[in-house]
Amino acid sequence: MSDDRLIVALDVPNAVAGLEVAARLGDAVSFYKIGLGMLTGGGLALANELKQEHGKRIFLDMKFFDIPATVENAVRGIAAYDLDFLTVHGDPSVVAAARAGAAGTDLKILAVTVLTSSDRSDLDAAQIRPGAVPEIVLARASAAFDAGAHGVIASPQEAAAIRALPNAAGRLIVTPGVRPAGSASDDQKRIATPAQALADGADHIVVGRPIWRADDPRAAAQAVLAELPKR
């Protein structure tokens, strides 16, 4: 079994393309993220096939955000697929509703703090209260933990501070915005290398384009795994 600290984001157009990437990666990767961009391209079917037929772990990145009753019902439906991680926005009422929907299952609810593609100017445009991005991330992470989140999604630059929160013990930190040494940052603004993210307290790193866009995705994944510190 490969190291499940690496989650490969299958940010490709549809399930067929996702299966092709997974086939090329083979046993080098055991954990995949399937996001909103593939929802209309067979994303749930792909998640189910990779989980049930290939034994992979699945992180469904839907970032649910709605009234509590709707979130609870949506999560209850997702939980029936026996997947591993699901994202919701980190507002406490949303997190609590998601936990209720996942009750009695092994589905882990991960709260989004601040998107890794956002910086202070983006938060200003969205009318988010003043303050440095790390300060807002910490406040949202702490509130999400208090509301019952199993973990949070945060940039690797905030991982150490989140890990130091008193209510972070036993909680997961999953970090997108991870780029192997020498990779392009693409649209991510708060990034770090795989080794740095884990050293700072992340449990899992998410890497997408640097792997699936590579001429040899398996070799690219193995190169990322080689950067990870030994367990």
Side-chain angles (χ1 to χ4, degrees):
M1 177 64 72
S2 65
D3 192 332
D4 70 358
R5 291 178 295 176
L6 170 63
I7 301 175
V8 172
L10 290 176
D11 296 328
V12 293
N14 53 54
V16 172
L19 282 174
E20 289 174 351
V21 172
R24 295 185 70 184
L25 290 168
D27 60 3
V29 172
S30 61
F31 211 153
Y32 287 100
K33 180 176 85 74
I34 295 172
L36 192 60
M38 203 196 287
L39 185 61
T40 58
L44 278 175
L46 174 62
N48 192 54
E49 182 169 345
L50 288 173
K51 176 77 175 187
Q52 302 302 328
E53 297 183 25
H54 300 275
K56 305 298 184 181
R57 300 187 71 194
I58 299 296
F59 166 13
L60 198 64
D61 187 18
M62 294 289 108
K63 299 184 181 72
F64 287 155
F65 182 56
D66 211 312
I67 63 171
T70 298
V71 170
E72 181 176 345
N73 288 333
V75 173
R76 185 172 293 114
I78 293 296
Y81 283 81
D82 189 32
L83 306 180
D84 298 275
F85 294 172
L86 174 70
T87 50
V88 301
H89 274 271
D91 301 51
S93 63
V94 174
V95 172
R99 278 300 306 264
T105 75
D106 293 328
L107 181 65
K108 298 292 188 291
I109 300 300
L110 304 180
V112 175
T113 53
V114 175
L115 297 175
T116 55
S117 61
S118 297
D119 57 18
R120 185 61 251 181
S121 65
D122 296 306
L123 299 188
D124 290 340
Q127 307 297 310
I128 304 297
R129 69 172 175 85
V133 171
E135 170 193 331
I136 293 172
V137 168
L138 281 177
R140 285 180 62 79
S142 184
F145 290 149
D146 286 345
H150 295 102
V152 294
I153 305 294
S155 96
Q157 294 184 8
E158 287 102 39
I162 292 172
R163 182 54 71 204
L165 288 170
N167 54 356
R171 309 301 177 98
L172 296 165
I173 299 175
V174 179
T175 57
V178 173
R179 288 293 182 269
S183 294
S185 61
D186 296 307
D187 58 356
Q188 302 288 358
K189 295 177 180 176
R190 303 192 327 274
I191 65 175
T193 64
Q196 188 63 54
L198 290 175
D200 286 343
D203 297 284
H204 299 274
I205 60 169
V206 180
V207 183
R209 285 165 286 194
I211 291 177
W212 61 257
R213 276 183 180 169
D215 292 335
D216 185 342
R218 183 182 177 90
Q222 290 172 328
V224 172
L225 291 166
E227 290 188 41
L228 304 186
K230 300 298 183 186
R231 288 183 186 270

